C-alpha cells in the first residue's frame, strides 16, 4: 500500500476530478480516476452488444477484453484491447449506461481490487470516485467528500459539454445529474455517501482554487510529513 492515500468522493460535478488532479500535482502523487474504470467497462460492454443488466455477461466482457488503465501527467488513459478510448468513455451515452456496471456487485469487487493493486505500486496517491473512502481505502490517511447543489453541478457540466461543441439544455443536464445521484446513492453495493471520518466540503460557492487550498490545508494539518 502507498505511504500516503488521499480519497476524494462525491457526486458528479462536485469538482472532485479537477481537485484530485490538481492536488496530486501539488503533492507529486499519482492520481486515480476510478470513474474512468466504470466508464471503460461500460463502453466495452456496449461495444460487445451484451445485455447490460446481465451481471455475468458484464463479467465475461471484463475477463475477455484487455482493459488497461494508466495515468500520464494527471490524465487517466483507458485502453480496450490496445485502442485508446480515453475520450470515448466521456460520451453521454457511456455516462448514461455506467449505472449498470456501478450496481453490479461482482464487477465492483473486481474494480476495487484493481484500484488497490494500482495504489500498491505507488508511493503517494490521490484517488477519486464514489466509494474510495468507504470501501476501497477504508484506512486512507485522509478522506474528503465534496458536494454541491445540483443546479450548480449542472451548470459546471454544461460548461464542459459546451466546450466540446455540444448544445445540450441545462434542464436536461440537471435531470441526468439528479438521476445519476439517485442511482449512485441508492444502490446496494458501494453507494455514494461520505465516510464517517470524511471531511465534507460544499463547493457550491467555491472556486476550484479555493477548494484545492482548503483540501491542501487539511492535508498539511493532518499529515505534516
Ligand atoms: O466520476 P464519473 O462520472 O466518471 O463516474 C462514472 C460513473 O461510474 C458514476 O456515475 C458512478 O455510477 C460510477 N462510479 C462508481 N464508483 C466509483 C466511481 C464511479 O460507481 N468509485
Amino acid at each position: 500500500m502507498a505511504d500516503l492515500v488521499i480519497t476524494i468522493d462525491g457526486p458528479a460535478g462536485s469538482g472532485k476530478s479537477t481537485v484530485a488532479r490538481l492536488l496530486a500535482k501539488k503533492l507529486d502523487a499519482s492520481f486515480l480516476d476510478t470513474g474512468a474504470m466504470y466508464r471503460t467497462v461500460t463502453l466495452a460492454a456496449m461495444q460487445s452488444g451484451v445485455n447490460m443488466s446481465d451481471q455475468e455477461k458484464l463479467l465475461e466482457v471484463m475477463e475477455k477484453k484487455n482493459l488497461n488503465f494508466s495515468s500520464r501527467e494527471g490524465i487517466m488513459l483507458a485502453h480496450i484491447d490496445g485502442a485508446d478510448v480515453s475520450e470515448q468513455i466521456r460520451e453521454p451515452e457511456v455516462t448514461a449506461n455506467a449505472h449498470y456496471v456501478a450496481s453490479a456487485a461482482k464487477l465492483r469487487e473486481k474494480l476495487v481490487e484493481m484500484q488497490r493493486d494500482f495504489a500498491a505500486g505507488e508511493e503517494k496517491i490521490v484517488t477519486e470516485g464514489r466509494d474510495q473512502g468507504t470501501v476501497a481505502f477504508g484506512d486512507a490517511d485522509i478522506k474528503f467528500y465534496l458536494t454541491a447543489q445540483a443546479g450548480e453541478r449542472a451548470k459546471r457540466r454544461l460548461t464542459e459539454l459546451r466546450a466540446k461543441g455540444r448544445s445540450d439544455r441545462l434542464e436536461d443536464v440537471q435531470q441526468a445529474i439528479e438521476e445519476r445521484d439517485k442511482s449512485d446513492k441508492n444502490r446496494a453495493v458501494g453507494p455514494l455517501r461520505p465516510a464517517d471520518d470524511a471531511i465534507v466540503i460544499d463547493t457550491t460557492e467555491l472556486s476550484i482554487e479555493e477548494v484545492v487550498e482548503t483540501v491542501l490545508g487539511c492535508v498539511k494539518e493532518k499529515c505534516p510529513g
Side-chain angles (χ1 to χ4, degrees), residues 5 34 43 80 198:
V5 179
T34 59
L43 177 63
I80 300 177

Side-chain angles (χ1 to χ4, degrees), residues 47-115:
Q47 288 174 342
S48 306
V50 299
N51 175 358
M52 302 282 291
S53 336
D54 187 335
Q55 178 172 233
E56 297 307 320
K57 290 273 178 261
L58 292 176
L59 264 181
E60 265 176 39
V61 169
M62 229 182 135
E63 271 151 24
K64 278 194 193 142
K65 296 271 179 185
N66 179 13
L67 308 181
N68 184 269
F69 305 98
S70 54
S71 165
R72 200 183 56 207
E73 288 163 19
I75 312 240
M76 274 297 285
L77 297 178
H79 289 82
I80 300 177
D81 289 338
D84 186 346
V85 293
S86 314
E87 286 289 325
Q88 223 181 326
I89 58 169
R90 306 281 159 201
E91 293 293 326
E93 296 71 22
V94 178
T95 308
N97 280 327
H99 68 95
Y100 291 107
V101 175
S103 51
K106 290 184 188 168
L107 276 96
R108 291 200 78 87
E109 236 173 72
K110 281 196 176 294
L111 289 170
V112 165
E113 205 179 295
M114 284 167 80
Q115 291 153 18

Side-chain angles (χ1 to χ4, degrees), residues 9-10 12 16-17 33-36 38-39 90 95 98-99 101-103 108 115 128-132 157 180 183-184 187 190:
D9 289 307
K16 62 186 187 315
S17 296
D33 165 3
T34 59
Y38 286 85
R39 288 171 176 276
R90 306 281 159 201
T95 308
H99 68 95
V101 175
S103 51
R108 291 200 78 87
Q115 291 153 18
E128 60 99 342
R130 304 291 189 288
D131 59 346
Q132 297 301 283
R157 192 44 49 95
R180 226 152 40 108
S183 151
D184 277 337
R187 65 170 165 255

Side-chain angles (χ1 to χ4, degrees), residues 2-222:
D3 290 340
L4 177 71
V5 179
I6 299 174
T7 62
I8 305 186
D9 289 307
S14 58
K16 62 186 187 315
S17 296
T18 313
V19 170
R21 195 174 301 121
L22 292 171
L23 184 69
K25 202 170 172 199
K26 280 189 188 279
L27 296 174
D28 197 21
S30 303
F31 161 66
L32 181 59
D33 165 3
T34 59
M37 300 172 118
Y38 286 85
R39 288 171 176 276
T40 305
V41 179
T42 302
L43 177 63
M46 287 165 70
Q47 288 174 342
S48 306
V50 299
N51 175 358
M52 302 282 291
S53 336
D54 187 335
Q55 178 172 233
E56 297 307 320
K57 290 273 178 261
L58 292 176
L59 264 181
E60 265 176 39
V61 169
M62 229 182 135
E63 271 151 24
K64 278 194 193 142
K65 296 271 179 185
N66 179 13
L67 308 181
N68 184 269
F69 305 98
S70 54
S71 165
R72 200 183 56 207
E73 288 163 19
I75 312 240
M76 274 297 285
L77 297 178
H79 289 82
I80 300 177
D81 289 338
D84 186 346
V85 293
S86 314
E87 286 289 325
Q88 223 181 326
I89 58 169
R90 306 281 159 201
E91 293 293 326
E93 296 71 22
V94 178
T95 308
N97 280 327
H99 68 95
Y100 291 107
V101 175
S103 51
K106 290 184 188 168
L107 276 96
R108 291 200 78 87
E109 236 173 72
K110 281 196 176 294
L111 289 170
V112 165
E113 205 179 295
M114 284 167 80
Q115 291 153 18
R116 290 180 180 147
D117 284 349
F118 187 98
E122 307 297 324
E123 207 177 301
K124 294 181 264 181
I125 185 164
V126 179
T127 175
E128 60 99 342
R130 304 291 189 288
D131 59 346
Q132 297 301 283
T134 49
V135 179
F137 302 99
D139 54 1
D141 297 280
I142 183 159
K143 303 175 184 177
F144 294 94
Y145 185 88
L146 303 190
T147 178
Q149 283 166 14
E152 172 61 24
R153 292 189 281 123
K155 277 192 218 151
R156 293 174 186 170
R157 192 44 49 95
L158 189 71
T159 307
E160 283 170 20
L161 290 167
R162 292 267 154 85
K164 287 182 181 170
R166 292 182 61 107
S167 51
D168 302 58
R169 295 185 323 152
L170 181 63
E171 305 90 271
D172 298 335
V173 175
Q174 183 160 341
Q175 195 188 340
I177 278 197
E178 285 171 352
E179 275 166 18
R180 226 152 40 108
D181 285 357
K182 205 164 140 198
S183 151
D184 277 337
K185 287 180 180 168
N186 293 313
R187 65 170 165 255
V189 282
L192 170 65
R193 66 167 183 84
D196 294 338
D197 50 350
I199 297 166
V200 180
I201 302 172
D202 185 336
T203 71
T204 308
E205 309 266 328
L206 301 177
S207 67
I208 286 293
E209 292 73 23
E210 286 171 322
V211 183
V212 173
E213 280 315 306
T214 306
V215 164
L216 199 58
C218 296
V219 173
K220 285 186 176 155
E221 200 180 305
K222 188 140 192 245

